[in-house]
Amino acid sequence: MDILTTVVYIILFIIIMIFVFSIGMLKPFMRKKETALVLVSAFIIGCLGGAFFLSPIYDDVPEVMSTVQKVIPNNDNETMYLDVSSSVDLDALKNNLTHIDGVHSFEVTGITFYMWQFTDKEMTYMNAVLENIDANYKNFTVNESGKIDIDLVPGYEVNSALKSFSDWYKNVYAGTISYAQVHIKVVLAPSAIDQSREYLLEEGIVPTKMEGPVQDSINKTNSTMLNNGEFVLISGGIGVIVALLGIYVDKVVVVFRKFKKSKKSGRRRR
């Protein structure tokens, strides 16, 4: 949310609070039952004001905190994890990302294949044969669902890794692998996050996970924030407090004047 919209929403909430305060000031002309109705109305108006005007601002608090982290000099780097289709032009993706100022490295860490539901015999076979398909398969995990996760030796060409598995599959099952998922790790400065995300969004890619000081600040802020329902109820409570101030404004003014007068009297005695 931009600053102008934020200011407008805050002003609108203040306006409805002034309205609530004004209603409370009509207390001398009300019966006791009507006073209770004013408080109920103030709660409802406060809830509505919080839901429509303050909640959108409150929801942006984590983003504001992350923006602060992005501009802090000498902050630690962020790590962005991507899961993309093997059909994506990885060379172009790497070239475009690493040309963004602040992107330090682009590394393919692994690949994932989605097969069919494995039987126990097929699971045993896959676990036995995978270590012999390619020496650059560092680690692998075979799941009963048919998902095979393979970690690659750092620096190994991903196209070679995909070709090794595809050739083996073709020789054994006389078929072709139509889809694989490629896992990528991008290390970048906090200042490069927004531009990198904009580029990835243009390519239809959404980061799977982020790690680093910026993401930590977002997670920490989210963990301490109230949910929307609680925040709206607190806004309703603010409405009630404002209404009470309006109801008892005369007494508050009298107390304030007495305090001010006694303070002046004390100064004169000195």
Side-chain angles (χ1 to χ4, degrees):
M1 184 182 296
D2 58 83
I3 295 176
L4 179 60
T5 305
T6 300
V7 172
V8 170
Y9 278 9
I10 292 174
I11 290 173
L12 289 173
F13 184 78
I14 292 173
I15 289 172
I16 64 173
M17 288 299 101
I18 292 173
F19 173 70
V20 169
F21 183 81
S22 301
I23 295 176
M25 290 180 67
L26 298 175
K27 193 259 183 183
F29 309 101
M30 300 178 189
R31 299 174 182 174
K32 289 184 178 180
K33 292 182 179 179
E34 291 174 341
T35 302
L37 182 61
V38 167
L39 295 178
V40 172
S41 300
F43 179 77
I44 294 173
I45 293 172
C47 288
L48 292 173
F52 286 102
F53 301 133
L54 296 186
S55 283
I57 300 173
Y58 188 65
D59 291 339
D60 279 350
V61 170
E63 188 62 31
V64 172
M65 297 303 297
S66 70
T67 301
V68 173
Q69 286 288 336
K70 290 173 188 175
V71 299
I72 294 177
N74 301 321
N75 216 338
D76 292 337
N77 291 323
E78 294 284 313
T79 303
M80 179 187 292
Y81 296 92
L82 309 175
D83 293 333
V84 302
S85 170
S86 55
S87 62
V88 170
D89 188 339
L90 295 176
D91 291 332
L93 181 64
K94 178 180 180 179
N95 183 63
N96 291 329
L97 271 178
T98 53
H99 273 77
I100 294 175
D101 186 31
V103 175
H104 303 307
S105 66
F106 178 102
E107 178 188 359
V108 175
T109 59
I111 51 179
T112 296
F113 295 96
Y114 294 90
M115 314 293 280
W116 58 87
Q117 187 84 19
F118 291 144
T119 62
D120 291 341
K121 185 176 180 180
E122 288 173 329
M123 288 252 322
T124 302
Y125 171 71
M126 288 292 179
N127 278 303
V129 77
L130 273 171
E131 60 185 8
N132 299 316
I133 293 177
D134 193 318
N136 291 289
Y137 289 178
K138 186 171 64 173
N139 295 304
F140 57 85
T141 303
V142 181
N143 297 281
E144 188 178 353
S145 63
K147 178 183 175 184
I148 300 176
D149 294 312
I150 301 173
D151 295 332
L152 302 179
V153 171
Y156 185 51
E157 176 61 44
V158 64
N159 290 328
S160 299
L162 293 169
K163 187 176 185 301
S164 296
F165 191 90
S166 180
D167 289 345
W168 166 81
Y169 185 82
K170 185 176 182 179
N171 290 332
V172 175
Y173 295 99
T176 57
I177 296 292
S178 58
Y179 175 80
Q181 195 174 63
V182 179
H183 309 297
I184 302 167
K185 182 174 76 173
V186 181
V187 178
L188 67 168
S191 58
I193 292 176
D194 291 339
Q195 190 176 352
S196 299
R197 278 180 168 168
E198 286 175 7
Y199 165 71
L200 291 171
L201 188 59
E202 290 174 359
E203 298 297 315
I205 300 172
V206 178
T208 308
K209 185 174 66 170
M210 291 285 297
E211 291 179 350
V214 173
Q215 190 61 40
D216 289 344
S217 70
I218 294 175
N219 295 338
K220 186 176 180 179
T221 304
N222 281 327
S223 66
T224 57
M225 289 177 66
L226 303 170
N227 61 47
N228 285 337
E230 292 170 337
F231 183 76
V232 168
L233 290 176
I234 288 177
S235 300
I238 293 173
V240 173
I241 292 171
V242 171
L244 287 171
L245 289 174
I247 291 171
Y248 296 106
V249 65
D250 293 337
K251 294 182 179 180
V252 172
V253 170
V254 170
V255 171
F256 177 75
R257 286 176 179 173
K258 287 182 178 179
F259 173 76
K260 194 174 181 181
K261 187 176 180 181
S262 63
K263 195 173 181 182
K264 286 182 179 179
S265 299
R267 286 179 180 175
R268 287 174 184 173
R269 288 174 185 174
R270 290 179 186 175

